[in-house]
Amino acid sequence: MGIDGQHIMELMPDITKAFGETLYMISISLVIALVIGLPLGILLFITDKGLFLENRALNSVFGFIVNMVRSVPFIILLVALIPLTKLIVGTPIGPAAASVSLSVASIPFFARIVETSLREIDKGVIEAAIAVGATPWMIIKDVLLPEAKTSIIQGVTLTVISLVAYSAMAGVVGGGGIGDLAIRFGYYRYDNTIMVVTVVILIVLVQLIQFAGDRISKVIDKR
């Protein structure tokens, strides 16, 4: 499997467009995952048994929904959500359409990461906050999130990397991005050059995301 430099230059506009579409999909899905997944993860934690807002019924319902979505392989989720995607963005193809499925997949994924991060906090710290009369909101804002911020940042990094993999998979159903380019040119046209280039781009992108995530978590980790 070799690569053709001239061919790469010819395809550069398509590669640039696909890379931009991948970043577009990841950005939208990440924002939605943070906005919905973060409070959902906190809710799963604080309503669990023995916590200050224990509510087993609520915890079971949301826990079931999270597990249900996470148990569906992403490629099946892409197809299953086509009606919802058409309802929201008006079309089942393109990067905006793929963002719907990516968001649905990333929300429960990130929520579980947040819940796991909060479970790493020493229970004594939470009990001390309760003992001094802190309200649930104060405990969340001043104890849980500051104590778990490093782990949550690492979870964000993991979520972004998972979104890169999912976005590449979205190319199977015309979702656009690097994955779509690899399938249309690399797979269907047996174009080895574009296949190698797209794989290299994905590897470099993941390396950069991991490096940035590690650096940020080290900077904010004051322990």
Side-chain angles (χ1 to χ4, degrees):
M1 179 183 290
I3 59 174
D4 183 343
Q6 180 63 34
H7 189 40
I8 293 176
M9 294 306 296
E10 293 171 356
L11 291 172
M12 192 54 71
D14 292 308
I15 295 172
T16 303
K17 179 185 176 187
F19 185 70
E21 289 176 345
T22 294
L23 295 182
Y24 174 77
M25 289 188 285
I26 293 173
S27 299
I28 292 177
S29 307
L30 179 63
V31 169
I32 295 176
L34 295 178
V35 170
I36 302 178
L38 179 62
L40 179 58
I42 294 172
L43 182 69
L44 287 170
F45 176 71
I46 63 177
T47 57
D48 201 4
K49 184 178 181 181
L51 272 297
F52 52 93
L53 287 181
E54 179 179 340
N55 187 323
R56 298 295 293 167
L58 192 65
N59 186 275
S60 298
V61 170
F62 280 103
F64 174 78
I65 294 172
V66 166
N67 291 340
M68 181 181 66
V69 177
R70 292 195 64 197
S71 64
V72 180
F74 183 66
I75 190 67
I76 296 176
L77 194 66
L78 267 172
V79 177
L81 290 176
I82 285 178
L84 177 64
T85 301
K86 291 177 68 176
L87 181 67
I88 294 175
V89 299
T91 175
I93 60 174
S99 299
V100 175
S101 301
L102 288 171
S103 300
V104 171
S106 61
I107 289 170
F109 181 82
F110 184 60
R112 282 300 187 197
I113 288 177
V114 172
E115 182 192 12
T116 302
S117 299
L118 296 175
R119 290 192 185 284
E120 295 174 357
I121 299 173
D122 185 351
K123 288 287 179 60
V125 176
I126 301 174
E127 292 170 356
I130 296 173
V132 298
T135 64
W137 171 241
M138 291 170 64
I139 296 174
I140 293 171
K141 179 173 65 71
D142 299 328
V143 177
L144 297 185
L145 292 179
E147 287 289 328
K149 61 184 178 183
T150 302
S151 182
I152 291 175
I153 290 296
Q154 292 170 345
V156 172
T157 305
L158 186 60
T159 302
V160 176
I161 291 174
S162 297
L163 283 171
V164 172
Y166 287 162
S167 69
M169 208 182 303
V172 176
V173 294
I178 295 295
D180 185 51
L181 189 69
I183 290 171
R184 283 192 295 113
F185 287 81
Y187 182 68
Y188 289 132
R189 300 184 186 180
Y190 304 103
D191 189 334
N192 291 336
T193 297
I194 198 65
M195 185 63 80
V196 171
V197 170
T198 52
V199 170
V200 169
I201 290 174
L202 291 173
I203 291 174
V204 171
L205 182 59
V206 168
Q207 295 293 329
L208 290 174
I209 293 169
Q210 186 65 59
F211 175 78
D214 290 343
R215 292 289 298 172
I216 294 172
S217 63
K218 286 180 181 177
V219 168
I220 67 172
D221 188 3
K222 304 299 181 183
R223 292 173 292 180

